[in-house]
């Protein structure tokens, strides 16, 4: 299928696709771009092949030079600790594979279904469950979206369609606009939601073509961004968010609580404040899915609860995200008490 990454002549290729294709994909290139010692320990190359490094250059530019503790660098750097085998950390931590129907549709929660639009992402986040997701199988069909629509037609209780992935905004706007139009023809469908990191890691993605089909759609639009640290939000991201809002999109953020990235009250408070400055409300703060290779990002629930209590004492209620865990078989994300 056309995943938005296929070769298109430069003349008609949108800028964002050129930038996407130009992302850093070799550890040595990231280290040299950041002026970090080339001997900085990395995951063995043969293990890295299964889930390679991928970082848009503009995102790398938001990392501090020479700082291996930078919170953005840590999210994308393939640490040798990914090879650790840790009990309880598995390859399908959220139980999605059992729920995947034809057409890549995952219908776990009432009234809304999640469609795996593509396996592609603009950035490879080392803590992500996607590192083990066999997208090839889920997306193999040439008639992928036709099957998705057929599943939706079979169940009119689904009023909200969530495009996830991978990153749905890695798809071309032609593809997305066509799908959004097909959804809009189905009167029981009210909302289109996109779960995406692209406007953050590559804000050029929010161009006229994207804004065009979004603002033209009768559907209510929700974009749930994924931002883990305040430093991810620069002026270009704020501008991209402003344009999305002007196109009638409600903007929310989901973050993952990550060791040595954002596991402090200060980091969370700055993230919420910075999101709000961009017109984005905090939605979920996930505790880590127990994904094989990501155990070194884990934060204890006790620490999470302490952060939440301190955050709630410091910020207005609308800037405090819900602390949640995804538990297979539950009818919703599970809110953790604090
Ligand atoms: C997280 C998720 C949703 C959305 O849940 P909300 O609580 O509405 O944000 C929907 N479907 C699946 C399969 C999910 O994993
Ligand atoms: S799905 Fe989201 S969290 Fe996972 S690698 Fe892609 S952008 Fe990162």
């Amino acid at each position: 299928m056309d995943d938005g990454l296929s070769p298109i002549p430069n003349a008609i290729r949108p800028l964002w696709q050129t930038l996407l294709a130009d992302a850093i994909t070799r550890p040595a290139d990231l280290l040299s771009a950041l002026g970090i010692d080339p001997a900085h320990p990395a995951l063995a190359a043969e293990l890295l092949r299964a889930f390679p490094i991928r970082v848009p250059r503009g995102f790398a530019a938001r990392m501090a030079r020479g700082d291996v503790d930078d919170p953005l660098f840590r999210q994308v750097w393939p640490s040798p600790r990914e090879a650790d085998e840790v009990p309880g950390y598995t390859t399908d931590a959220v139980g999605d594979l059992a729920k995947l129907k034809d057409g890549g549709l995952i219908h776990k929660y009432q009234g809304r279904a999640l469609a795996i639009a593509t396996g592609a992402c603009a950035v490879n986040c080392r803590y992500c469950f996607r590192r083990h997701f066999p997208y090839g199988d889920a997306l193999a069909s040439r008639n992928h979206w036709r099957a998705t629509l057929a599943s939706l037609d079979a169940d009119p209780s689904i009023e909200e369609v969530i495009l996830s992935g991978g990153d749905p905004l890695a798809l071309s706007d032609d593809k997305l606009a066509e799908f959004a139009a097909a959804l809009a023809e189905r009167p029981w469908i009210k909302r289109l939601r996109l779960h995406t990191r692209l406007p953050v890691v590559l804000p050029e993605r929010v161009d006229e073509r994207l804004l065009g089909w979004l603002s033209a759609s009768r559907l209510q639009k929700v974009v749930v961004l994924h931002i883990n640290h305040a430093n991810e939000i620069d002026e270009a991201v704020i501008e991209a968010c402003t344009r999305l809002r002007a196109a009638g999109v409600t903007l929310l953020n989901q973050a993952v609580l990550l060791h040595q990235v954002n596991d402090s009250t200060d980091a969370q408070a700055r993230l919420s404040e910075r999101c709000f400055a961009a017109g984005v409300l905090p939605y979920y703060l996930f505790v880590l899915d127990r994904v094989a290779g990501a155990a070194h990002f884990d934060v204890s629930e006790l620490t999470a609860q302490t952060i939440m209590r301190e955050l709630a004492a410091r910020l207005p209620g609308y800037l405090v995200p819900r602390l949640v865990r995804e538990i297979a078989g539950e009818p919703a994300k599970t809110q953790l008490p604090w």
Side-chain angles (χ1 to χ4, degrees):
M1 70 182 257
D2 173 13
D3 60 5
L5 301 173
S6 46
I8 299 173
N10 271 321
I12 57 157
R13 189 191 232 191
L15 173 64
W16 69 268
Q17 287 185 344
T18 303
L19 296 172
L20 192 58
D22 188 41
I24 296 170
T25 53
R26 296 193 330 176
D29 292 347
L30 182 59
L31 295 179
S32 103
L34 294 172
I36 295 172
D37 180 352
H40 186 62
L43 187 65
E46 70 271 16
L47 297 176
L48 190 54
R49 221 167 288 135
F51 188 56
I53 180 174
R54 170 173 284 278
V55 188
R57 287 174 197 278
F59 190 68
R62 285 170 241 164
M63 300 172 187
R65 280 189 63 81
D67 182 4
V68 296
D69 297 326
D70 180 89
L72 278 55
F73 178 74
R74 281 188 190 278
Q75 292 178 57
V76 299
W77 182 253
S79 156
R81 295 187 60 191
E82 290 183 21
D84 297 352
E85 278 186 36
V86 181
Y89 285 75
T90 67
T91 55
D92 185 23
V94 292
D96 274 346
L97 295 184
K99 301 279 180 177
L100 194 60
K101 294 196 213 166
D102 291 343
L105 199 68
I106 302 174
H107 187 194
K108 286 207 290 201
Y109 302 154
Q110 188 170 334
R112 54 223 194 273
L114 187 147
I116 304 291
T118 170
C121 281
V123 62
N124 281 347
C125 312
R126 306 313 302 180
Y127 50 84
C128 182
F129 66 89
R130 175 179 156 268
R131 58 187 301 143
H132 304 294
F133 206 99
Y135 285 105
D137 301 344
L139 303 172
S141 157
R142 273 190 67 232
N143 294 321
H144 175 60
W145 273 1
R146 198 172 306 160
T148 306
L149 291 167
S151 298
L152 292 171
D153 286 339
D155 188 351
S157 75
I158 299 170
E159 298 185 333
E160 174 167 344
V161 176
I162 303 169
L163 289 186
S164 184
D167 196 312
L169 289 185
L171 293 172
S172 71
D173 285 309
D174 286 351
K175 276 265 147 106
L176 290 165
E178 188 190 317
F179 185 67
L183 291 182
E185 282 168 11
R186 290 160 166 80
W188 65 92
I189 296 178
K190 294 179 182 160
R191 291 184 296 277
L192 171 62
R193 196 201 302 189
L194 303 172
H195 283 182
T196 176
R197 197 150 161 61
L198 252 155
V200 182
V201 300
L202 210 154
E204 293 84 354
R205 178 66 187 88
V206 183
D207 62 8
E208 291 308 319
R209 290 200 221 188
L210 173 63
L211 296 165
W213 69 261
L214 274 176
S215 47
S217 176
R218 73 152 178 91
L219 300 167
Q220 290 185 289
K221 279 89 49 183
V222 181
V223 167
V224 181
L225 297 169
H226 174 180
I227 309 170
N228 295 315
H229 195 278
N231 292 2
E232 294 174 42
I233 304 176
D234 65 3
E235 288 309 312
V237 173
I238 291 182
E239 196 191 308
C241 290
T242 304
R243 299 174 86 200
L244 284 168
R245 289 211 305 154
V249 176
T250 297
L251 291 176
L252 303 172
N253 184 50
Q254 53 189 9
V256 183
L257 190 59
L258 299 167
H259 182 54
Q260 293 184 324
V261 171
N262 60 10
D263 58 338
S264 72
T265 307
D266 270 346
Q268 287 297 325
R270 277 188 285 123
L271 173 60
S272 280
E273 295 271 10
R274 192 76 181 143
C275 278
F276 194 64
V280 182
L281 282 173
Y283 181 40
Y284 283 147
L285 177 60
F286 282 90
V287 295
L288 189 76
D289 292 328
R290 296 200 178 100
V291 171
H296 56 291
F297 285 112
D298 192 44
V299 177
S300 74
E301 279 192 20
L302 201 65
T303 303
Q305 287 162 337
T306 303
I307 291 172
M308 290 305 300
R309 275 196 291 270
E310 292 177 359
L311 202 58
R314 198 192 284 195
L315 293 179
Y318 58 86
L319 292 187
V320 180
R322 300 167 181 82
L323 180 69
V324 290
R325 181 187 285 287
E326 183 145 359
I327 300 177
E330 292 294 317
K333 310 282 184 242
T334 303
Q335 286 211 42
L336 302 179
W338 43 267

